[in-house]
Amino acid sequence: MSAKGRTTQRLDKVLSNMGYGSRAELKKLVKQGGVVVNGLPAKDPGMHVDPYRDVIEVEGEKLLYREFIYIMLHKPPGVVSATEDSRDRTVLDLLDKSYLIYEPFPVGRLDKDTEGLLLLTNDGKLAHELLSPRKHVPKTYEADVAGRVTESEVRLFSEGVTLDDGYVTLPAELTILSVEERDDGPLSKISLTIHEGKFHQVKRMFEAVGQKVVYLKRVRMGELMLDESLPIGSYRELTEDELAILGKPGAMDPLDNKK
Ligand code: URA
């Protein structure tokens, strides 16, 4: 077991996931003595290693394995916020497979048709801090709502609305950005900050006041803002500044891999 309590993994799996070649290529490389584990040439590509602890060298190059990764994804519609799904593509399918070795997972869920900010990490503690119902981490959404959103809804949301299951939401900040008159009726563009994360919460809050969300995008989670220069469907690792905002400065530095 590693420092994180994970089980060990096959050497060839670790290396292929990190882009060092296919299983077949790695088999050959191991046979040629090109992979050294803790100072000894590896004999079996299937040997189990702990990439966090074992010192692995590939053709003399020391493998730098990090403990945590933090990825900002601009989630597109049509993919599910899960690590696996029998029917739909998941957000993990959007990542380069070299990231999968870190076993990232989405921090919370966005609906399949919702776009926007989704953090992917393997840092369970951070995920808990952002998701714990007791922390009331604010999440800001932008939405298109069919109909005319008025100051009356702004007031209702600021007091908390009763959802279909009887749950009364915490006060939420609703801002009306614009109301467009269209041939098929008014369309309101709004921004909404909620301090909890009930299932389909934004859509259900509008349903509670007789309105329908037709487009939804998350733009902020806690202090983390969606990088609007990130094209939809793409991702990047968090910057040092963003990590500092989350209280994780230096968190992406590679492990020294020293025992
Ligand atoms: N609220 C919703 O209704 N859907 C989401 O995806 C997120 C918040």
Side-chain angles (χ1 to χ4, degrees):
M1 297 280 256
S2 75
K4 290 183 76 188
R6 293 163 186 240
T7 50
T8 55
Q9 302 182 56
R10 282 178 63 106
L11 176 63
D12 54 2
K13 181 165 181 260
V14 170
L15 295 178
S16 70
N17 283 344
M18 290 192 78
Y20 283 99
S22 65
R23 290 266 181 111
E25 286 162 346
L26 289 163
K27 190 174 171 190
K28 210 161 127 195
L29 191 65
V30 166
K31 208 169 162 198
Q32 291 164 350
V35 181
V36 171
V37 177
N38 299 328
L40 295 173
K43 290 204 175 70
D44 174 9
M47 76 181 280
H48 274 235
V49 291
D50 178 345
Y52 291 106
R53 293 246 149 169
D54 292 320
V55 180
I56 304 169
E57 290 161 82
V58 181
E59 295 184 302
E61 183 188 319
K62 196 162 138 187
L63 186 140
L64 289 178
Y65 205 77
R66 296 179 306 207
E67 186 169 20
F68 294 123
I69 54 155
Y70 303 89
I71 294 170
M72 176 188 292
L73 169 70
H74 189 163
K75 180 191 172 298
V79 292
V80 294
S81 304
T83 52
E84 52 187 30
D85 193 273
S86 55
R87 225 181 31 197
D88 289 309
R89 286 211 311 153
T90 74
V91 287
L92 291 194
D93 294 325
L94 301 173
L95 299 184
D96 187 276
K97 74 175 173 48
S98 60
Y99 282 110
L100 302 183
I101 189 75
Y102 299 103
E103 300 177 4
F105 56 85
V107 178
R109 277 169 187 264
L110 290 179
D111 296 339
K112 187 174 165 186
D113 61 353
T114 301
E115 304 176 6
L117 175 64
L118 190 65
L119 180 63
L120 301 169
T121 186
N122 55 352
D123 183 343
K125 190 158 172 277
L126 176 70
H128 174 74
E129 280 161 16
L130 289 171
L131 295 176
S132 166
R134 267 177 279 134
K135 308 256 173 172
H136 302 306
V137 170
K139 288 163 223 101
T140 302
Y141 295 84
E142 288 176 1
D144 290 356
V145 180
R148 191 181 305 282
V149 179
T150 66
E151 289 305 319
S152 153
E153 281 80 40
V154 172
R155 202 178 47 254
L156 285 170
F157 279 27
S158 75
E159 289 160 1
V161 291
T162 306
L163 301 183
D164 46 8
D165 58 1
Y167 176 78
V168 181
T169 69
L170 290 173
E173 296 92 56
L174 173 61
T175 306
I176 303 165
L177 303 176
S178 66
V179 182
E180 282 172 36
E181 299 302 333
R182 299 198 171 188
D183 291 345
D184 54 352
L187 184 85
S188 306
K189 291 190 181 291
I190 62 92
S191 158
L192 178 67
T193 299
I194 58 175
H195 300 267
E196 56 204 326
K198 300 286 169 206
F199 188 57
H200 297 324
Q201 180 160 343
V202 175
K203 292 173 186 164
R204 288 164 69 212
M205 286 178 78
F206 279 97
E207 273 162 24
V209 294
Q211 289 174 331
K212 186 167 170 55
V213 171
V214 292
Y215 167 80
L216 187 60
K217 174 180 180 181
R218 181 159 65 194
V219 294
R220 182 181 147 196
M221 185 172 194
E223 295 306 312
L224 191 63
M225 312 280 293
L226 175 67
D227 176 352
E228 292 286 355
S229 72
L230 203 56
I232 191 158
S234 62
Y235 60 89
R236 62 161 173 76
E237 294 188 18
L238 294 193
T239 63
E240 270 304 321
D241 284 350
E242 288 164 339
L243 286 168
I245 282 174
L246 295 176
K248 302 273 169 182
M252 296 239 281
D253 293 346
L255 285 187
D256 206 3
N257 275 33
K258 286 201 184 103
K259 290 207 170 188

